[in-house]
Amino acid sequence: MIKTPEYKKYRNRILIRKFILHAVLIISFFVVLFVNIDIYSDNYRDRLQPQIRRAVLQVAQIIPQLEESELALRRVCDQMNSSWDRIAADSELDESNYDIPDTKSKLDEFIGETLSWMDRVTKLKVGRDGCVAVLDKSTMTVIAHPDATSIGIRLNPDVPLTTDNVLNLRSITKNTRTEDLQAHFILFELDFPEDKDSEDFRDIDNYLYRSLYGCAIEYEDYYIVCGISFYERLSFLSNAFFVTVFTFVMIWLVIKWICLVINQRCETAKTMRNKLIAYSMVVCLISFGVSVYLQTLTNVADDLKTMTHHAEVAVETLETYQKQSKKLGDWLDSFYEIQCRLASRMIRNRKSTPDRHTMQVYADYLNAKYLFLFDKNGNVTVTNSNYDHLKVGSKPEEPFYDFRVLLEGADSVILPPMRDQRYNEYLQYIGVSVRSKEDLCDGFVLIGIDPALRDELLDALKLDKVLNNLVIGLPEYALAVDKQTFEIVATNGLGYVGENVTELGISPESLEQKFSGFVEVDGIVHFAGVSASEDYYIVPVMHQSGNNGIFSSSCKLMLEAACILLIITLLTLFNFQEEVIDAAPKEETGVDPDDDDVDDEEAKVPGLFAGLKNRTLFREKSGFEERWKVNTRAKRYQSPEGRIMVIIYRILLLFCLFILLPTLFIGINADSKISELSNLSYMISGRWQKGVNIFAFTSCIFLLCAMYVGSVLVDAILYQIARASDAKVETICLLIKNAIKYVCVIIFIYYGLSQFGAKTQTLLASAGILSLMVSLGAKDMVSDILAGFFIIFESTYKVGDYIKVGGWEGVVTEIGIRTTKVKFVTDVKVFNNSSLRDIVCSEEVVRQSVKIGISYDADFEEIERILKEELSKIGPEQIPGLRKGPTYTGISSFDESSIVLTIAMFVEGNLKFPAVRALNREIKLIFDRNNIEIPFNQLVVHEAEKPVL
C-alpha cells in the first residue's frame, strides 16, 4: 500500500484529534474518581458512624454495671468478714474450732477472672471487622484487644487527643441517645514497633486490619477505642473505584467506536451524530443501573456477612459468659457452703442447746434469712422461721425431699435459687450434714439465702444480655433459637418468644446449614445471619435499609458520565465533520478496497514466510464459513459495531479467567468462615438463603458469562478441528456444537431454578407430569411448544425472513410459543410450529432477475451501452430494498421473435416482489426514453386465392 504525503498529513491530523479524545477521557477519569470517592465517603459516614456511636453507648453502660457488681460482691465479702469477727467474739463459741478462710485475696483473683471490664468490652463487635480496644493513656499501647496478637502494639491517633475530641465515660448517661452523642472520629494508625522481628507487623494487610477508625473514651488511665478497621473503610470506598472504572470502560468503547468509524469513513456526520447520542444515552443508563446494582449487591453482601460474623462472635461470647457464669455461681455456692458449715459448727459446738432467738442471731451473723436444724429422722429441731413443724419429704413433690440424701450420708447439698410455691418465697437452700463424734449422721443444718446478689451478678451473663450486646453494630435485633424444638427462647425486644422460628420465614434447614438470608418481621424485610452454640442458634437481625443514598450517588454518577459524553460528542462533531472526512486523500493501492475477499495483511506476508503460511492454510471447503457462521472478512472491512463486540467478548474472557474462576475456586474450597470471604467469594460460595434475591440474580449472571465465554472457546476449537478435517468430522463437530448449546441451556435453567429457591428434586416429577399430559391428549400442544423452542434456539428462521412452506410463501411476522405467522402482501397465515416442515428460507439478500426481449433488427451494441449507462443511475429510491445493481448480465436466450436480455439485482428477501415490479417499471421507462422497441409475437395470415371457376 502506497501512502501519499497528503494522506500522511491527514492521518497525523486525525491522530492528534483522537489523542485529544483519549486525553479528555483520562483527565475526566481521575476527576470523576475523586468526586465519587467524596460521594461514597458521605454514604460511608452515614452508614458506619451510627454503629460506632452505638458501641460507645454500650461501653458506657457495661462498665458502670460491672463496677456496681464488683462493689456489691466486695460489700458482701466485707459483711461476711464482719460476721466472722462477730462469731469469733461470741463468748459461748469455741474459736479454736473455726477455720475462717481468707476471702479477700481470693476475691481479687476471682473478680479479675469474671468481672473484668476489659474482658467484657473487648467481646463487643462493631460493624463487620471493627472491635473495642483498650489503650494505655500514657504510651498508647494496646493492653486489651479481641485479637491477642494485637496486644502490645501502638496505635497512634492522627490528631492529638484532648478533652475536646475524647469522650468522658462519666459524662455519658443511660438517657444519652446516639444522635445526642458529640463524638469525634479519629484514625488510630498502627505504629510498627522496631523491636518486632516478625514481618507480619510490617505489611500493608496488617496496617489495614489493625488500624482503627472510631471514637476514643477516657476512663481512668485508659483510652477505650470503639472503631472499625481501616480495611472496612477502604473496602467501602472501593465501590467508587469499580463503578468509575466500569463507566469509563464503556465511555472508552464509545471512543473506540468513534475511531473505527473515522478510520473506515463508513458513516455520515448525521448518522454519526444520531448514533453518538443513542450510545451516550445507553451508557448513561447502564452506568446508573450498574452503580445501583453494585452498591446494592455490595451492601447486601456486607450486611449478611456482618450478620453472620456478629452471630459467630455472639456464640463465642455466649460460651465465654456461660463459663464465667458457672465459675461465678460455683464461687458463690462455695461461699454459701462455708457459711452453712460455719452455722453447723456453731450449733454443734455451742455449750448449750440453741433456741429460736439464738438461731436468729446466728442467721444474722451469716446474712441468712432462715436457719434450720434437722435431726437424724428429718424433723425440724429448731429454726428461726415460722415453719417449725417441717419434715423432710419422702416423695419428690414433698418439701425438702432433695436434702434426704444428707440423712443417708451425703456431706452437702446445694440447690439453685427457686420459688417455693407453698410459701411464695424465692430463696436458695444449702444443706450441710451434722456429724457426731463417731462420724455418724446426726441430722443436718439448712440455711436459706436471699439470691438477689447472685441474680444481680449473673444477670449480666445471661442469654438476653448477650443478645443486647450483639446489637451494637449493624444488627437491630437478635434472637436465640432452641436447637431441638426450633422455638425462639430469647430476643431483645423483637417479640415472638415461644413461637416457632418459621413464623419469621426462617426454615429449620437454613439454621442447620447456617445460611444467611432474609426474614420478614411485621411485613418488613430484614437481613439475618446464623451461628450455632451447643444449645442455641444465634440469629442477629437487621432492618433492610433504603436505597436513597444509593440512588442519589448513582444519579450523580450518571450526570458525570453524561457531561463527559457530551464533551466527547461535541469534540467529535467539531473535529470529525463530514467535509473533513470526505476531504481525506485516497490511498494509492492496487487493491480494490471494496473487495471483501482480499486481506491486506495476508498480501504483505514476505516471500520467506509465504511458503510456511501456505502450508498452514487449510483447504477451504464449499460453504464452510457459512455453516459455521464465521466472519472471515479482514478487520478493516468489519463494521465498528462488530469490532466493539469482539472487544467486549475479550473483556468478558479476562473477567472469567482472572477474576471469576479464581474466586470460584476460593469460594468453593475455602474452609474459612463466611465473614472471612470476599464479597465475590461469598456470593459464589452459595452460603446464603436461596430465593428471589439479588444473590440469585448475580449468580445466574456469572454463570451466563462463564457459559458464553466457554461456548465461544469450544466453538473456536471445534471450528479449527472441522476446518482441518473431512466432512464426516465436520458433521460430528457441528453436532457437538449444537449439543453443547442444549446442555448449557439445561444447566442454566436447572441452576437458575435452584438459586431462586425452586425444589429441583421435583423437576423429575414435573417431567413425569409432562409425560402424563402428552399421554392424556396434550400431545399437539406440547409438540408445538417444543418445536417453537427449537425454532428459536436453532434460528431455523427469524422474524423478517422470507420463507416458503406448504405452498405458501411470505415474510415471517411473528414467532410464538405455539404458532408462527407468515404474511404475504395483506394475507396472514398462521402455522402450528410442529407442522412447519420442508421450509425453504430465502437469504437476507437475494438475487432477482428480469428478462426482457429486443428486436432482432435493433442495434444490439447501442442497447447494451444504454442499459449499462441507465441502470447505473437506479438506486434504492426507485427500487425498494435494493442492495446491489441492477446490472446487465447478457443474453439469456434467442426466442422466435426476440432476443431475451437478463438484468439482475440483489435485494432484501422480504422485498423481492416489489423490487421486481419496480425494476420492470424502470426498464420500460428506459426503453421509452431511448425509443427501443419491445417486440411482440406477430401472426402473418396468408389468404389463399379462390380458384377461378
Side-chain angles (χ1 to χ4, degrees):
M1 180 182 296
I2 303 173
K3 297 183 179 179
T4 63
E6 292 78 8
Y7 180 79
K8 293 181 179 179
K9 183 178 180 180
Y10 167 78
R11 293 297 298 172
N12 291 335
R13 189 165 64 250
I14 292 295
L15 289 176
I16 292 174
R17 294 175 178 179
K18 290 181 182 178
F19 173 78
I20 293 174
L21 290 179
H22 287 85
V24 170
L25 178 69
I26 295 172
I27 294 173
S28 59
F29 170 77
F30 288 103
V31 173
V32 171
L33 179 61
F34 286 116
V35 172
N36 286 344
I37 288 176
D38 184 65
I39 295 173
Y40 279 67
S41 297
D42 293 338
N43 295 342
Y44 157 79
R45 287 189 290 268
D46 296 340
R47 182 178 176 84
L48 297 181
Q49 287 184 0
Q51 304 172 29
I52 300 174
R53 289 191 176 96
R54 292 168 67 182
V56 170
L57 294 181
Q58 192 72 14
V59 170
Q61 293 176 7
I62 289 178
I63 292 180
Q65 291 175 358
L66 293 175
E67 289 178 339
E68 293 176 3
S69 300
E70 181 179 347
L71 289 175
L73 195 58
R74 291 187 183 278
R75 186 170 57 251
V76 171
C77 289
D78 292 340
Q79 292 175 357
M80 181 172 289
N81 290 329
S82 176
S83 299
W84 289 343
D85 293 339
R86 293 168 61 187
I87 293 173
D90 195 321
S91 59
E92 297 187 19
L93 299 177
D94 187 356
E95 185 177 350
S96 61
N97 292 326
Y98 301 97
D99 183 15
I100 306 299
D102 182 13
T103 57
K104 291 186 177 181
S105 59
K106 293 184 177 180
L107 180 63
D108 293 334
E109 179 182 355
F110 176 74
I111 289 176
E113 294 177 354
T114 58
L115 298 178
S116 171
W117 65 269
M118 290 187 185
D119 183 64
R120 292 284 181 89
V121 298
T122 53
K123 293 293 183 185
L124 302 177
K125 194 69 181 172
V126 185
R128 186 184 70 190
D129 299 318
C131 64
V132 178
V134 181
L135 279 63
D136 185 84
K137 198 172 183 180
S138 57
T139 63
M140 299 304 294
T141 302
V142 177
I143 59 176
H145 196 281
D147 184 6
T149 60
S150 297
I151 297 176
I153 65 174
R154 292 186 60 191
L155 295 177
N156 295 326
D158 59 347
V159 295
L161 299 182
T162 63
T163 55
D164 295 331
N165 55 22
V166 176
L167 298 170
N168 189 285
L169 185 70
R170 303 302 179 186
S171 64
I172 304 174
T173 64
K174 294 182 178 180
N175 297 325
T176 304
R177 298 177 301 176
T178 54
E179 54 269 20
D180 299 333
L181 196 63
Q182 300 297 324
H184 295 269
F185 295 90
I186 303 169
L187 176 61
F188 291 84
E189 298 180 277
L190 174 65
D191 182 21
F192 297 112
E194 297 295 335
D195 56 341
K196 293 287 185 180
D197 296 331
S198 175
E199 293 296 329
D200 292 340
F201 287 89
R202 296 187 177 274
D203 58 16
I204 188 65
D205 187 62
N206 274 277
Y207 174 82
L208 294 176
Y209 274 103
R210 296 175 189 269
S211 299
L212 294 177
Y213 173 80
C215 299
I217 309 171
E218 184 180 8
Y219 175 64
E220 296 179 350
D221 296 329
Y222 310 101
Y223 286 126
I224 305 172
V225 179
C226 304
I228 60 172
S229 68
F230 192 71
Y231 178 84
E232 184 173 354
R233 183 186 184 191
L234 190 64
S235 64
F236 193 88
L237 298 179
S238 64
N239 282 338
F241 176 77
F242 288 116
V243 172
T244 305
V245 168
F246 182 85
T247 301
F248 275 84
V249 166
M250 291 190 297
I251 296 176
W252 173 79
L253 290 175
V254 174
I255 294 178
K256 183 68 175 177
W257 175 82
I258 294 172
C259 296
L260 291 173
V261 170
I262 298 303
N263 288 342
Q264 299 182 12
R265 301 190 293 274
C266 58
E267 302 285 356
T268 63
K270 181 179 179 180
T271 305
M272 190 175 190
R273 181 180 65 248
N274 295 337
K275 287 189 176 182
L276 266 178
I277 294 173
Y279 292 160
S280 299
M281 294 176 62
V282 170
V283 168
C284 291
L285 293 176
I286 292 178
S287 64
F288 175 80
V290 169
S291 177
V292 172
Y293 173 75
L294 286 181
Q295 289 186 76
T296 304
L297 183 65
T298 303
N299 290 347
V300 172
D302 283 340
D303 290 345
L304 289 179
K305 285 172 56 183
T306 302
M307 294 300 99
T308 303
H309 199 174
H310 277 259
E312 294 169 355
V313 173
V315 168
E316 296 174 1
T317 304
L318 177 61
E319 293 174 349
T320 302
Y321 279 15
Q322 287 176 339
K323 294 177 182 178
Q324 292 181 352
S325 177
K326 185 178 184 305
K327 187 180 295 185
L328 183 59
D330 293 342
W331 190 87
L332 291 173
D333 289 342
S334 64
F335 187 83
Y336 294 140
E337 185 182 358
I338 292 174
Q339 288 182 292
C340 190
R341 291 187 184 279
L342 195 57
S344 174
R345 292 181 183 180
M346 286 191 298
I347 295 173
R348 185 180 59 184
N349 297 329
R350 185 175 174 81
K351 299 175 182 178
S352 59
T353 303
D355 56 9
R356 188 183 189 89
H357 174 72
T358 304
M359 294 293 282
Q360 183 62 50
V361 172
Y362 290 169
D364 293 338
Y365 284 168
L366 301 173
N367 295 313
K369 185 173 183 179
Y370 295 138
L371 180 61
F372 297 89
L373 176 63
F374 288 82
D375 60 17
K376 59 182 179 182
N377 295 320
N379 298 318
V380 175
T381 302
V382 63
T383 179
N384 66 327
S385 72
N386 297 327
Y387 314 122
D388 52 357
H389 297 293
L390 292 176
K391 183 178 180 180
V392 176
S394 58
K395 298 180 180 180
E397 62 272 12
E398 295 180 350
F400 302 118
Y401 171 80
D402 296 312
F403 295 97
R404 176 166 289 277
V405 294
L406 295 175
L407 302 177
E408 298 172 355
D411 182 59
S412 63
V413 173
I414 303 175
L415 296 182
M418 64 182 65
R419 179 167 295 279
D420 192 334
Q421 298 298 331
R422 291 182 178 85
Y423 310 112
N424 194 26
E425 290 183 311
Y426 182 64
L427 296 172
Q428 181 181 12
Y429 289 102
I430 298 97
V432 175
S433 175
V434 176
R435 317 297 292 185
S436 64
K437 294 180 179 181
E438 293 80 12
D439 197 26
L440 299 175
C441 178
D442 197 22
F444 64 92
V445 173
L446 182 69
I447 61 172
I449 302 294
D450 184 0
L453 174 63
R454 180 193 185 99
D455 293 343
E456 178 184 349
L457 295 176
L458 297 182
D459 184 65
L461 301 174
K462 289 184 178 179
L463 180 59
D464 57 345
K465 296 297 180 182
V466 175
L467 300 182
N468 286 333
N469 293 339
L470 177 60
V471 299
I472 67 168
L474 281 177
E476 298 175 359
Y477 305 105
L479 52 94
V481 181
D482 186 88
K483 295 184 73 173
Q484 301 298 326
T485 62
F486 295 101
E487 291 185 355
I488 301 174
V489 297
T491 65
N492 62 329
L494 183 63
Y496 296 94
V497 176
E499 297 185 13
N500 196 280
V501 72
T502 54
E503 296 293 330
L504 294 177
I506 305 176
S507 63
E509 294 80 9
S510 299
L511 294 177
E512 292 172 350
Q513 297 174 0
K514 300 180 183 178
F515 278 167
S516 54
F518 305 86
V519 299
E520 187 170 335
V521 182
D522 297 331
I524 301 175
V525 178
H526 289 69
F527 299 129
V530 180
S531 188
S533 67
E534 184 177 355
D535 301 318
Y536 306 105
Y537 292 111
I538 304 298
V539 184
V541 178
M542 183 195 73
H543 176 256
Q544 185 176 6
S545 59
N547 295 324
N548 294 332
I550 294 177
F551 278 109
S552 62
S553 60
S554 300
C555 288
K556 293 175 183 178
L557 176 65
M558 183 175 65
L559 291 176
E560 294 166 356
C563 292
I564 297 170
L565 288 168
L566 178 61
I567 295 173
I568 292 174
T569 301
L570 294 176
L571 287 174
T572 302
L573 297 179
F574 178 77
N575 290 325
F576 304 104
Q577 297 177 5
E578 186 173 5
E579 54 269 20
V580 176
I581 298 174
D582 293 340
K586 304 300 181 182
E587 299 172 326
E588 296 183 5
T589 175
V591 181
D592 183 6
D594 294 330
D595 188 358
D596 294 347
D597 297 330
V598 178
D599 193 335
D600 295 339
E601 296 179 0
E602 293 183 1
K604 291 182 178 180
V605 177
L608 179 63
F609 300 97
L612 178 62
K613 186 170 183 66
N614 290 333
R615 291 187 181 92
T616 59
L617 289 176
F618 298 107
R619 179 178 56 86
E620 299 297 339
K621 292 175 282 187
S622 175
F624 179 78
E625 306 297 346
E626 181 181 355
R627 289 192 295 273
W628 285 85
K629 299 179 181 179
V630 177
N631 187 359
T632 58
R633 302 176 68 187
K635 287 185 177 180
R636 59 176 298 177
Y637 301 126
Q638 295 179 9
S639 66
E641 288 78 7
R643 296 279 298 277
I644 294 299
M645 290 303 298
V646 173
I647 295 174
I648 293 175
Y649 165 74
R650 291 174 179 173
I651 294 174
L652 287 177
L653 178 62
L654 293 176
F655 170 76
C656 292
L657 292 179
F658 296 103
I659 297 179
L660 196 58
L661 289 180
T663 308
L664 178 63
F665 178 80
I666 294 173
I668 294 177
N669 299 292
D671 295 329
S672 59
K673 298 178 181 178
I674 290 177
S675 57
E676 298 174 359
L677 297 175
S678 66
N679 286 343
L680 193 58
S681 300
Y682 171 68
M683 286 180 283
I684 295 177
S685 67
R687 302 178 191 178
W688 35 268
Q689 187 177 5
K690 302 300 184 291
V692 182
N693 53 57
I694 194 169
F695 294 132
F697 179 72
T698 304
S699 62
C700 290
I701 291 178
F702 286 165
L703 180 64
L704 190 62
C705 291
M707 284 186 169
Y708 170 71
V709 173
S711 62
V712 171
L713 289 176
V714 172
D715 287 352
I717 296 173
L718 293 175
Y719 168 78
Q720 296 298 334
I721 295 174
R723 189 180 180 190
S725 305
D726 56 12
K728 182 177 181 180
V729 175
E730 181 188 352
T731 304
I732 296 174
C733 290
L734 285 172
L735 181 61
I736 295 174
K737 176 183 176 181
N738 292 329
I740 289 175
K741 291 182 180 180
Y742 289 113
V743 171
C744 288
V745 170
I746 293 173
I747 292 175
F748 181 77
I749 294 175
Y750 187 88
Y751 179 82
L753 290 175
S754 65
Q755 296 303 299
F756 282 103
K759 298 292 185 181
T760 53
Q761 294 84 354
T762 62
L763 292 180
L764 293 178
S766 300
I769 295 175
L770 181 62
S771 301
L772 182 62
M773 291 172 56
V774 173
S775 63
L776 292 178
K779 178 180 178 181
D780 293 338
M781 182 184 69
V782 174
S783 299
D784 291 338
I785 294 174
L786 291 177
F789 171 77
F790 286 116
I791 289 171
I792 296 173
F793 186 74
E794 293 182 342
S795 297
T796 306
Y797 52 83
K798 305 180 294 297
V799 173
D801 287 354
Y802 195 91
I803 65 173
K804 297 179 181 179
V805 55
W808 183 268
E809 59 181 310
V811 179
V812 178
T813 59
E814 181 181 339
I815 302 176
I817 297 178
R818 295 186 58 245
T819 61
T820 295
K821 296 179 180 179
V822 182
K823 181 179 181 181
F824 181 76
V825 190
T826 59
D827 298 331
V828 177
K829 187 169 184 178
V830 180
F831 293 90
N832 289 336
N833 289 332
S834 60
S835 65
L836 291 173
R837 295 180 177 86
D838 301 329
I839 303 172
V840 178
C841 296
S842 298
E843 297 290 336
E844 180 182 359
V845 178
V846 297
R847 183 180 184 274
Q848 292 292 102
S849 62
V850 172
K851 301 181 184 300
I852 189 168
I854 62 174
S855 173
Y856 280 97
D857 298 333
D859 188 346
F860 180 73
E861 293 182 351
E862 178 65 16
I863 292 176
E864 282 188 323
R865 183 191 64 78
I866 292 173
L867 286 176
K868 291 179 180 179
E869 180 180 345
E870 294 289 341
L871 291 177
S872 62
K873 300 176 182 179
I874 299 175
E877 294 81 6
Q878 293 82 21
I879 300 178
L882 180 65
R883 290 294 186 87
K884 187 177 180 181
T887 57
Y888 165 69
T889 59
I891 299 175
S892 175
S893 63
F894 295 96
D895 288 353
E896 294 180 355
S897 57
S898 64
I899 301 174
V900 181
L901 306 181
T902 301
I903 299 173
M905 61 180 175
F906 290 90
V907 296
E908 297 177 8
N910 58 341
L911 296 175
K912 62 179 182 179
F913 293 115
V916 169
R917 290 192 291 270
L919 180 59
N920 286 330
R921 178 180 181 276
E922 295 299 323
I923 294 173
K924 179 64 171 65
L925 293 176
I926 292 173
F927 276 33
D928 290 346
R929 286 196 299 267
N930 293 276
N931 298 320
I932 301 174
E933 181 184 359
I934 301 176
F936 51 88
N937 291 333
Q938 297 180 7
L939 180 62
V940 179
V941 179
H942 295 278
E943 185 178 356
E945 294 181 358
K946 294 182 179 179
V948 178
L949 296 176

